[in-house]
Amino acid sequence: MFRATEGMRQEMDNLLSAHDNVIDAIDHLFEFYEEIDVKAESDGIPLALIAMETALISERIRIACRDAYTLFISMLADKFVASNWPRQAADEISSLIFAIIQGNGIAAMTQLSNEPFKLAHKQVMEIIRNKEKELDLDEPTGAN
């Protein structure tokens, strides 16, 4: 699981660092998920499936999944904070985005379609933009 977590860290770092502002970075992140081959085992299994299947029978895997969850959410939150979001709002939206990605990963695999990611992408971007307006951030974080 350590290798999987480190791989996820590198992949997330590459995806999030491709854009300076959080709107473009999250847009890029969802574009990545929209391109995953849901029929290929090599593109990975949603962490949620591993956690659900093993959490009650393997403490080691449960902890590894927890740590991977924490890493993913904290990397997203740090990107929001770097775009002038307050830490609490960044943590909350990052947790929501993580849950959406994991849930849609399961849906995409069972439907053998990336459509769940495409539908979620549009809604997540709208949620982020609306939250930015609500927070009345001094500097815009996205070019779109």
Side-chain angles (χ1 to χ4, degrees), residues 14 21 27-29 41 44-45 50 54-55 57 60 63 81 86 96 99 107 110 115 117:
N14 291 339
N21 69 67
D27 192 47
H28 182 68
L29 179 68
E41 289 181 31
I45 296 172
I50 297 168
T54 61
I57 58 174
R60 185 176 62 83
I63 290 170
V81 169
L96 176 66
T110 58
E115 195 62 25
F117 286 121

Side-chain angles (χ1 to χ4, degrees), residues 7 53 55 65 88 90-91 107 109-110:
E53 183 70 24
C65 289
Q88 182 175 345
D91 289 342
M109 285 184 71
T110 58

